[in-house]
Amino acid sequence: MKIYRASEDCSSSIIWLFGSGLIGGAISNALESKFAYIKNEIEVTWGAYDQINSTVKKIIESTESLSKNKDFIKVTIVWAAGSTGFYSTIRQTDNEYLFFQKMLDLLIIKSNTFLFNFIFFSSAGALYEGKVDIDYNTDICIKRPYGTLKFKQEEYLRHKKEISSLLILRPSSVYGFIDNKIARSSLISTVLYNALSNRLSTLYGNLYTLRNYIWVEDVANFVIKKFFHFENEMYILAGPKSHSIIEIKKEVEKVAKKKVYFKLNSLIENESDIVFANNILPLEYKNTTVSEGIQKIMQKWNY
């Protein structure tokens, strides 16, 4: 995890950024490109319960050393971390929940002079699987352990009285640049990388499965705005237009000038449509189209 403090004299706010994957990495890049920040990094070994106490101690000591006001420290926690995903088992998601709960309980107990705002990344796909025309009045539909995990984490945070304000973000099908260091790469960047590398892409749904894809830098920039205008709210972050996989295939082929080939994995099912209403995005949210996003990935790849 990374600890940030704005270097300007007027700011005393600290950011704890948990997660260095697709979303966490984009938030980190956006922070460091837009603002002057002092940064410390603390290694967090996920699932290592025997290391939690020492990790929490390092986080708190590092925060206190960065803070300008030693008596009252305002911290915004951004939780974009986790090792599980759409295909994880009950055992895997239960273990992740216990580690998440233990880590946060200790951090809050050991930092009684801190005031916490919290930004939590949930999952729209996991909470509305199989639903169409989804908006804020749509009932949750959980079909996988991963959805249960995300809902339990949301509820845990809602009932945590030590958290002053809670912003829950439910993103749908986030995609970003090609990065082989990220354990769970997005579908669009994976398909593009495989096309450029003359490889097959594994298809877990079917060519007509509909999803609302959203560009990761748009997500990161939205989060940064909330650092300065925090809200106690829940937002769904989903592109305003749904795309089938066959549409993604055609768009990738057009940009990469390469053919896309799929192999079907019938052992894992992920073919349900998850489609959001076209007015779901917050007014201040910038939307990069799928075509623009694929072109950005290609431009960076060629650079």
Side-chain angles (χ1 to χ4, degrees), residues 4-8 11 30-39:
Y4 292 93
R5 193 209 78 199
S7 57
E8 291 84 356
S11 176
L31 279 170
E32 293 170 18
S33 65
K34 293 175 184 294
F35 305 101
Y37 273 93
I38 299 168
K39 178 183 71 174

Side-chain angles (χ1 to χ4, degrees), residues 11-288:
S11 176
S12 60
S13 182
I14 300 286
I15 296 168
W16 291 352
L17 175 58
F18 288 87
S20 57
L22 180 62
I23 293 175
I27 294 170
S28 177
N29 290 339
L31 279 170
E32 293 170 18
S33 65
K34 293 175 184 294
F35 305 101
Y37 273 93
I38 299 168
K39 178 183 71 174
N40 282 347
E41 295 191 38
I42 309 289
E43 183 177 354
V44 178
T45 305
W46 302 107
Y49 291 93
D50 58 330
Q51 298 179 26
I52 288 182
N53 281 297
S54 61
T55 301
V56 165
K57 183 179 179 181
K58 290 175 186 176
I59 292 170
I60 292 171
E61 289 177 349
S62 182
T63 300
E64 290 173 340
S65 69
L66 286 178
S67 180
K68 299 173 183 179
N69 185 344
K70 305 300 180 185
D71 299 320
F72 178 77
I73 301 174
K74 182 179 177 183
V75 176
T76 298
I77 303 174
V78 182
W79 193 277
S83 59
T84 60
F86 224 54
Y87 308 117
S88 296
T89 64
I90 292 174
R91 182 177 180 178
Q92 290 169 329
T93 55
D94 282 351
N95 286 339
E96 180 162 318
Y97 179 75
L98 290 173
F99 187 80
F100 162 85
Q101 187 182 49
K102 181 72 171 177
M103 172 69 76
L104 290 182
D105 281 349
L106 276 175
L107 280 169
I108 289 170
I109 289 169
K110 299 291 186 179
S111 52
N112 53 15
T113 61
F114 293 10
L115 174 68
F116 292 106
N117 288 336
F118 206 111
I119 300 175
F120 175 69
F121 276 92
S122 186
S123 169
L127 296 180
Y128 300 105
E129 187 172 358
K131 296 277 189 172
V132 296
D133 200 29
I134 300 161
D135 61 19
Y136 289 98
N137 297 314
T138 302
D139 292 333
I140 285 173
C141 180
I142 295 174
K143 297 183 177 181
R144 300 171 189 265
Y146 187 59
T148 301
L149 167 67
K150 287 301 172 185
F151 187 72
K152 282 173 63 179
Q153 288 175 313
E154 288 186 11
E155 288 298 290
Y156 164 86
L157 294 170
R158 286 192 179 101
H159 291 93
K160 201 70 178 168
K161 65 182 186 300
E162 295 88 352
I163 296 172
S164 175
S165 293
L166 172 64
L167 175 61
I168 292 173
L169 301 178
R170 295 176 177 173
S172 167
S173 301
V174 182
Y175 70 104
F177 295 108
I178 295 168
D179 186 348
N180 293 327
K181 297 189 295 293
I182 295 176
R184 290 177 292 158
S185 186
S186 55
L187 179 138
I188 291 178
S189 59
T190 298
V191 170
L192 180 53
Y193 173 75
N194 287 339
L196 293 168
S197 306
N198 299 311
R199 298 178 181 178
L200 290 171
S201 292
T202 301
L203 184 62
Y204 298 102
N206 63 61
L207 289 173
Y208 302 97
T209 300
L210 292 170
R211 299 289 162 85
N212 292 64
Y213 298 93
I214 199 153
W215 180 240
V216 72
E217 291 184 325
D218 293 346
V219 174
N221 290 330
F222 180 80
V223 169
I224 286 174
K225 289 178 182 177
K226 295 305 175 186
F227 287 147
F228 304 102
H229 305 284
F230 204 92
E231 291 182 84
N232 193 48
E233 190 58 87
M234 186 276 283
Y235 285 112
I236 296 171
L237 302 181
K241 182 181 184 302
S242 61
H243 293 268
S244 66
I245 294 178
I246 199 167
E247 289 176 307
I248 299 299
K249 175 181 183 293
K250 290 176 180 177
E251 195 65 45
V252 167
E253 288 177 340
K254 183 174 72 175
V255 172
K257 296 180 172 53
K258 290 265 197 173
K259 294 296 290 183
V260 170
Y261 297 100
F262 290 106
K263 60 179 178 180
L264 179 65
N265 186 331
S266 58
L267 298 177
I268 301 175
E269 293 185 2
N270 187 15
E271 62 183 10
S272 297
D273 293 337
I274 308 173
V275 180
F276 295 82
N278 59 12
N279 62 348
I280 199 76
L281 280 174
L283 291 176
E284 69 270 37
Y285 191 88
K286 180 186 181 301
N287 179 60
T288 299

